[in-house]
Amino acid sequence: MTEFVRRLWRENMLPVTLGVTDGLLSALTLAAASLLGKGTEPSASLAGRIGCAALVTAAFTMFVADYAERRGRLVRAGRQLNLTVRGQLATTRLGKRALRRSCAAMMLAGLASFTGAGLPILLGVVLPGPPWVTVLLALSALAGLGAALAQTFAANPLRWAAAMGAGGVLVTWIGTVVHIA
């Protein structure tokens, strides 16, 4: 990888990871019954609806968490600089920059979540074969993401892939129990 791609990944790892993971787990939870042949037939409409639900929840969660973190850092920095008014640093250009970066992280997480939720279901609709193949695609994507994350922070890729895959299996089982779609 080029240095630019590495830097881009490091700066956006949280929103992308949160979004993709949230999307895949949303698809596995909400559509588990359909994907395992015990509910309604998987469709492009189902992929879009679950993708939209995942987009909204991931975007909201990412914005709140990221902005709270950035704003909190500015407040702590202002305290360390002995500024007289609490939160004074957060009302400067730095505060506006924190808001813009949190909005960018929100959009990235939402897009990643929509893709993570909708794409496996859509592929399951388009590709010939039984609907449970979609579950395998989503579990494979989770395991692949785990391995990629492990490479990023020098951990055991096999262990991370297995843990992410096992989490996906557990969420799929929960999805069949609650039987939403």
Side-chain angles (χ1 to χ4, degrees):
M1 281 195 290
T2 67
E3 185 56 35
F4 173 75
V5 173
R6 281 190 193 105
R7 195 180 102 240
L8 192 63
W9 169 245
R10 279 192 309 267
E11 291 175 3
N12 297 297
M13 186 177 5
L14 178 62
V16 170
T17 302
L18 180 134
V20 171
T21 303
D22 176 70
L24 289 166
L25 294 178
S26 293
L28 289 171
T29 304
L30 299 175
S34 293
L35 299 177
L36 295 174
K38 298 175 182 168
T40 60
E41 186 85 11
S43 64
S45 172
L46 180 66
R49 290 191 322 261
I50 291 176
C52 285
L55 180 150
V56 170
T57 57
F60 184 78
T61 302
M62 186 71 234
F63 178 78
V64 170
D66 192 67
Y67 190 57
E69 174 68 22
R70 290 177 190 277
R71 187 83 182 208
R73 284 184 198 160
L74 290 174
V75 169
R76 281 190 300 279
R79 194 175 322 119
Q80 290 172 347
L81 292 170
N82 294 323
L83 297 178
T84 55
V85 179
R86 185 174 186 267
Q88 185 176 358
L89 197 56
T91 61
T92 65
R93 282 192 341 243
L94 293 174
K96 289 181 178 85
R97 183 191 296 174
L99 178 63
R100 282 192 307 273
R101 288 188 175 176
S102 294
C103 286
M106 173 188 71
M107 290 187 285
L108 189 55
L111 179 63
S113 188
F114 180 82
T115 304
L119 191 61
I121 298 171
L122 198 56
L123 284 173
V125 170
V126 174
L127 296 174
W132 55 263
V133 170
T134 304
V135 173
L136 293 180
L137 289 171
L139 293 174
S140 298
L142 274 172
L145 179 61
L149 287 171
Q151 291 291 333
T152 300
F153 45 80
N156 184 325
L158 190 57
R159 187 174 296 148
W160 270 81
M164 294 280 283
V169 169
L170 177 64
V171 165
T172 304
W173 176 77
I174 291 169
T176 59
V177 171
V178 296
H179 191 38
I180 294 172

